[in-house]
Amino acid sequence: MKFIDDAAHGFASQLDGQWLGSYHDGAFFSFEYSKNLTGGIGGLAIFPPGMTGMTTPQQDWPELSCADEWRLLATLKAHLLSARWPLLGRITMAINRRLGLIYRSADAEVSQGMPHPVRAMPLLSTVLVRRQLAHLPATLAHKQALAQRYQQALAALPSITQWAVPAGAACHWVRYPFALSCPQANKAAVARRLSQASGLNIGVWFDDVIHPAGSFRHAYVAGSAPQGERLAATVLNLPMNIALADNAALAHKLDRLLAELRRIEKENIQ
Ligand SMILES: *Cc1c(COP(=O)(O)O)cnc(C)c1O
């Protein structure tokens, strides 16, 4: 039996000094829109030598259709806009959706586990990934600075859970997670409230034990992963992106976030 790691957003991160994705026989990393290294969609896989079914030479892989290349470009653009201007990003995404210009996995892939056909990586994705790889050290340093800033700010509220990363450990953040002290019936509403108060884009990842929420759940029986369920109901996250400057404006936003978090934690106790 072979064991392949899901290291989807573990690229350039270590745990106890070992690179994520190097623990078992192989690993895959995702270049999907939301990941720390992104080409829009697609990914990178490391397979154990001699694994059957993976011997197709890459030159023979079909290219993305022209229509899908345009969809990919339009979807990427909307995600890029969202990183800086969430409202503009949402509007662009809504327009794309109406025009049928969203490039994403088919519904059957999520609900029925239909395999995705193999495709050559689109040129657009290749250019994007290579550019990010060239800037990787600077990106990691910037994210490290943001993480430190977040960690110090949230430390003022001891009821909030954080996950410390040892100094000097390689960590390629996707988002910066923190957890409230009590499970939230409507975590999305809490995230919206915090975003409005702070001006920071507060996320809800992950909001279900099985992701994406509302997908097939793959025979998951409620209650069988109590810690996972509790985390899904309490964890929120802060943005980790290179467009976000580590400056006085961010410090002000974090002050506002803390004030609102303090209110929420107090309401939860009552
Ligand atoms: C994003 C993600 C995936 C799926 O990656 P795709 O490239 O979208 O197929 C799998 N596992 C984890 C943990 C992920 O975050």
Side-chain angles (χ1 to χ4, degrees):
M1 182 149 93
K2 301 283 186 201
F3 200 92
I4 309 284
D5 287 345
D6 177 351
H9 40 75
F11 187 82
S13 287
Q14 292 179 331
L15 179 66
D16 300 330
Q18 187 172 348
W19 294 108
L20 298 191
S22 72
Y23 277 79
H24 299 100
D25 304 298
F28 61 85
F29 301 88
S30 172
F31 297 162
E32 194 255 353
Y33 305 101
S34 60
K35 304 306 155 83
N36 42 11
L37 184 66
T38 181
I41 223 148
L44 163 80
I46 303 166
F47 289 109
M51 193 161 141
T52 50
M54 285 301 153
T55 47
T56 334
Q58 298 198 11
Q59 299 91 295
D60 293 349
W61 289 353
E63 302 215 331
L64 215 61
S65 72
C66 189
D68 277 344
E69 292 253 17
W70 280 105
R71 284 192 188 101
L72 175 60
L73 180 65
T75 312
L76 261 170
K77 192 77 210 163
H79 280 294
L80 281 173
L81 287 173
S82 305
R84 277 173 207 257
W85 303 288
L87 181 63
L88 187 59
R90 271 205 299 279
I91 294 170
T92 312
M93 198 65 89
I95 295 171
N96 282 353
R97 202 165 287 126
R98 294 205 64 154
L99 295 176
L101 281 176
I102 301 284
Y103 187 64
R104 62 183 193 92
S105 306
D107 289 333
E109 249 185 274
V110 175
S111 60
Q112 294 150 35
M114 285 263 294
H116 188 92
V118 180
R119 291 262 180 280
M121 183 175 271
L123 181 64
L124 178 61
S125 305
T126 319
V127 171
L128 275 172
V129 169
R130 289 191 63 156
R131 214 185 125 74
Q132 289 162 73
L133 284 177
H135 291 130
L136 193 57
T139 303
L140 292 175
H142 180 68
K143 289 184 170 187
Q144 197 53 49
L146 288 177
Q148 255 158 26
R149 169 93 61 176
Y150 292 156
Q151 197 241 316
Q152 280 161 12
L154 292 172
L157 242 174
S159 65
I160 300 285
T161 303
Q162 295 192 65
W163 288 270
V165 171
C171 185
H172 196 169
W173 298 92
V174 185
R175 307 277 301 182
Y176 184 86
F178 62 92
L180 303 177
S181 55
C182 299
Q184 304 295 308
N186 187 348
K187 213 172 64 163
V190 175
R192 270 197 303 278
R193 179 175 159 188
L194 288 168
S195 301
Q196 266 157 20
S198 65
L200 286 161
N201 179 3
I202 306 297
V204 295
W205 254 18
F206 281 98
D207 51 0
D208 196 5
V209 178
I210 306 296
H211 181 78
S215 65
F216 224 37
R217 289 198 121 199
H218 302 283
Y220 177 73
V221 178
S224 49
Q227 293 196 33
E229 287 184 13
R230 187 184 167 84
L231 261 183
T234 54
V235 80
L236 295 164
N237 60 57
L238 279 152
M240 269 293 172
N241 75 62
I242 48 172
L244 186 62
D246 176 26
N247 57 16
L250 178 62
H252 282 307
K253 288 178 177 176
L254 285 171
D255 285 344
R256 293 203 294 270
L257 177 74
L258 257 286
E260 196 64 20
L261 273 174
R262 208 165 262 133
R263 259 172 241 133
I264 290 173
E265 287 287 89
K266 210 173 267 167
E267 287 165 18
N268 284 335
I269 292 164
Q270 279 157 10

